[in-house]
């Protein structure tokens, strides 16, 4: 059985380099819906299976937060009301192509592997990616790759120790 895996990195440079390392330099690049975030396809061993991998990236934070329209602007509301105002979480227009790529690729895959930095910011970005992908495919299994640098040894160790 060949596992279909979507890997998502925090930046395109990271996705390209991780793909190169995992594929032994044999990944094939194709265009995503964002001109800045490519998709790298290759095969490798993952989760004790042969895997067909599509690796892409975001460009940092995918989602943003803001108040609804009736709470925007100093004249529209009393500042104290902002403490109890609802906060909206959404994908800004300029990141819609990245979001649509993630949704499209999530539907085609059964496993999602998050390759973001292992710090608070990276965890937050990973959470945003997970939310978008799981919304598109509720059956996708999610794993976290833990790595400290993008070297063959670190990436290989991360792929062997994926966390669910």
């Amino acid at each position: 059985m060949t596992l279909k895996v979507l890997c998502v990195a925090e930046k395109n440079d990271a996705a390209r380099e991780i793909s190169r390392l995992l594929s032994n330099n044999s990944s094939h690049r194709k265009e995503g819906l964002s001109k800045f975030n490519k998709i790298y396809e290759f095969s490798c061993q993952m989760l004790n299976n042969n895997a067909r991998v599509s690796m892409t990236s975001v460009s940092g934070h995918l989602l943003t937060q803001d108040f609804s329209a009736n709470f925007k602007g100093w004249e529209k509301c009393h500042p104290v009301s902002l403490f109890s105002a609802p906060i909206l979480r959404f994908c800004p227009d300029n990141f819609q192509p990245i979001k649509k790529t993630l949704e499209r690729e999530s539907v085609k895959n059964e496993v999602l592997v998050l390759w973001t930095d292992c710090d608070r910011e990276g965890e937050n970005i990973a959470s945003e990616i997970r939310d978008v992908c799981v919304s598109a495919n509720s059956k996708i299994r999610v794993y976290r790759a833990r790595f400290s640098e993008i070297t063959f040894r670190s990436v290989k160790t991360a792929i062997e120790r994926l966390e669910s």
Side-chain angles (χ1 to χ4, degrees), residues 56-155:
T56 190
S57 65
V58 293
S59 295
H61 283 281
L62 182 62
L63 304 178
T64 192
Q65 298 175 351
D66 205 347
F67 295 110
S68 61
N70 48 334
F71 289 99
K72 289 185 182 177
W74 292 107
E75 319 79 38
K76 292 189 178 182
C77 68
H78 191 279
V80 173
S81 67
L82 295 175
F83 288 105
S84 59
I87 296 174
L88 305 175
R89 189 175 183 215
F90 61 95
C91 182
D93 290 343
N94 58 325
F95 287 152
Q96 284 295 323
I98 298 170
K99 181 178 182 256
K100 289 177 181 169
T101 296
L102 293 178
E103 291 168 337
R104 182 185 69 188
E105 295 299 316
S106 294
V107 172
K108 298 178 194 175
N109 290 282
E110 54 197 309
V111 170
L112 169 65
V113 180
L114 302 165
W115 289 87
T116 56
D117 294 346
C118 294
D119 57 15
R120 286 184 182 185
E121 197 78 7
E123 293 301 330
N124 192 358
I125 294 167
S127 169
E128 294 171 0
I129 295 165
R130 183 194 65 234
D131 290 351
V132 166
C133 293
V134 169
S135 290
N137 178 358
S138 62
K139 295 181 181 180
I140 200 164
R141 298 187 331 255
V142 182
Y143 293 88
R144 183 73 166 93
R146 300 259 178 222
F147 60 102
S148 56
E149 59 188 357
I150 302 177
T151 61
F152 179 77
R153 184 181 204 168
S154 186
V155 168

Side-chain angles (χ1 to χ4, degrees), residues 26-79:
S26 66
S27 65
H28 300 282
R29 187 183 90 175
K30 72 178 194 178
E31 296 299 316
L33 298 174
S34 164
K35 65 181 178 179
F36 303 110
N37 304 84
K38 310 304 180 192
I39 300 171
Y40 303 91
E41 296 180 324
F42 57 94
S43 295
C44 71
Q45 286 290 308
M46 194 180 299
L47 299 168
N48 298 317
N49 283 291
N50 292 326
R52 184 71 191 136
V53 179
S54 296
M55 180 150 208
T56 190
S57 65
V58 293
S59 295
H61 283 281
L62 182 62
L63 304 178
T64 192
Q65 298 175 351
D66 205 347
F67 295 110
S68 61
N70 48 334
F71 289 99
K72 289 185 182 177
W74 292 107
E75 319 79 38
K76 292 189 178 182
C77 68
H78 191 279

